[in-house]
Amino acid sequence: MNKIQLTIILSLIFFFMGTSISNAAVNAHITYTVTFPEAQAHYADIELNISELDQPTLDLKMPVWTPGSYLVREFTRNIETISAAANGKELYLQKVRKNIWHLNTAGLSTIIIKYRVYAFEISVRTSFIDDSHAFLSSPDMFIYPANMLHSPSTIHIIPYKGWTTVSSSLEKVNGDTFTRYSPDYDILFDSPIEIGTQDVFGFTASGVNYEVAMVGGGKYDKERLKKDLPKIVEEETAIFGENPNKHYTFIVHNALKGGGGLEHLSSTTLGASRDAYATEAGYQNFLALAAHEHFHLWNVKRLRPIALGPFDYDNENYTTNLWIAEGFTAYYQDIIVRRTQLYSPENYLGSLAENINQQENLPGTRVQALSESSFDAWIKAYRPNENSANSTISYYTKGALVGMFMDLEIINDTKGKNSLDDVMKYMYNEYYKVKKRGYTDAEFKQAVEKFAGKNLDDFYAKYINGLTPMDYDGYLSYAGYKLTNALAANNDPALGITTVAGISKIIVSSVVRGGSAWVSGINVNDEVTAIDGAALTTTTGVLAGKKPGDKILVTVIRDGLTLNIPVTLLKNNRVKYKIEELPNVTSEQLVVRKKWLSIK
């Protein structure tokens, strides 16, 4: 037998082995039963039943991260016990990796896996269980057969006492709210499940039925939300030309202090303050959050960077394009609410100025490029430390500002004919609907250039891959606006530290890059006890009467030792921008302004 013949035979063997396993995976029947015998202690018991098996071995896996939240979270750390059985006998289940168990299944057609999960992390991206409700973030709850990602599954929920309602984008089975069906694991892992006594109401917008599940109470006005949320849905749908859902679910967790959101294919989970709805600012912030996460059903869940799908649930999925996936979504959240007329133009410009201040007061803006912040999300964005503000930026904030620049560039260059909306719709149709894949960096750039009618190499070199200061006035001037800095004439000094709030001691929690404390060697965790020999109980007003160049002596306790640190005070370089109208606005600038801000 020569090498060619051997290669052909081996290829045929592997082909038929692969076909056999693939067919086994397709034929297998998968069901989960979820119970909560000790909900008050934050546990769920899960039984995974896999029947109609026909393969010699089986690996069971659990994802290590949640799509949309770019951090490896090691979900298996919350599995307390796990066992396998078949035909009434226990099987040997071997853990071979941090998230993989191996099982011999030769001659077995049905196996049952039982495991217990601890869930007590309050966030939109992790599961939480107590005796009032259960929020199941599917990736950290459901172990799956490794070769069956494309297999359907059924989830039976046996509720804890008093729980009456399930909210999820997963389809009901035979109308039973406690039995849900998922056509594959990508959809299951993208479909959180809320179980409890949540307040549920709905509305219809863009031909889609929407469910809103309010958890934890709150001072919300259901009738107002049923009037305003559809406006957001319809404005966003208008950009892409279609709403690809049959139904969509908002799961809203209301808490004393809540925030954040996580997008899913046909649902989202939002965190909100239960009292914030009562103020106009709080209500508008909630609308912007809802607009952000809902916009993701197109941007990132369907129109996506090529690295973000199909997902590798075992490892990081790196991309330099989170500034589009998240940053553009952050840009659109406020623009969309403005288009509904629920924001005034002044409110929108005020919010935009706050974003500019956030970006420009961050020392990291001179250190980390936008594309780098996206790629490094897995190791930096979700693991901030005391120096993060000095060395990193947010791809949300700068990405939103870059989105604004691109929008204004396109509107200006086409005299109001095109906008960033046209780019997003084109990309959605071209890559999600036609090519059925994600886009590359170069492909997105080409689309922006297509509608701007110009080469953007220089733009990308400056603002995406470089550290060039952002030309806010240059782009805002297209719409007849400029920035003014309320602190421009300020000559006050600053120590350049922040301190831990809510404790009796003055403990340094961060030191600003290039500031007085940074240059002089004051450290995070130093306890500041005196300035120029005068004991301190607060840092408020301690530099009154001082000016840049003055010298002071700061006394700190570091690791139990008292140190006297000479400090030369430097100028406070913080900015506080607001957006104002330019004098003598031209008709061309008004065209851009009206298109950009939806002014009739």
Side-chain angles (χ1 to χ4, degrees), residues 418-446:
N418 296 326
S419 71
L420 190 60
D421 290 9
D422 297 286
V423 177
M424 302 305 286
K425 183 175 183 178
Y426 167 81
M427 291 295 292
Y428 175 79
N429 287 329
E430 184 73 10
Y431 289 93
Y432 171 66
K433 297 185 70 176
V434 176
K435 294 182 178 177
K436 301 184 185 305
R437 65 168 175 85
Y439 56 82
T440 66
D441 299 48
E443 288 166 342
F444 194 90
K445 176 174 175 287
Q446 289 165 5

Side-chain angles (χ1 to χ4, degrees), residues 131-136 157 159 162-169 172 177-178 180 192-201 211-218 220 222 249-254:
D131 56 7
S132 68
H133 78 114
F135 173 68
L136 307 184
I157 298 166
W163 294 356
T164 59
T165 308
V166 174
S167 296
S168 176
S169 59
K172 299 176 184 177
T177 192
F178 290 101
R180 301 289 174 136
I193 304 170
E194 175 67 35
I195 313 153
T197 58
Q198 59 269 26
D199 180 19
V200 177
F201 60 92
E211 173 187 354
V212 182
M214 288 290 194
V215 183
Y220 53 88
K222 280 193 282 192
T249 303
F250 287 99
I251 299 172
V252 185
H253 290 153
N254 296 305

Side-chain angles (χ1 to χ4, degrees), residues 73 123 141 143 205-206 233 255 340 382 390 432 447 453 462 561 589:
R73 296 181 182 274
S123 81
M141 296 300 294
I143 291 172
S206 299
V233 170
T340 65
Y382 290 89
N390 291 321
Y432 171 66
K462 287 179 176 178
L561 302 176
Q589 289 170 321

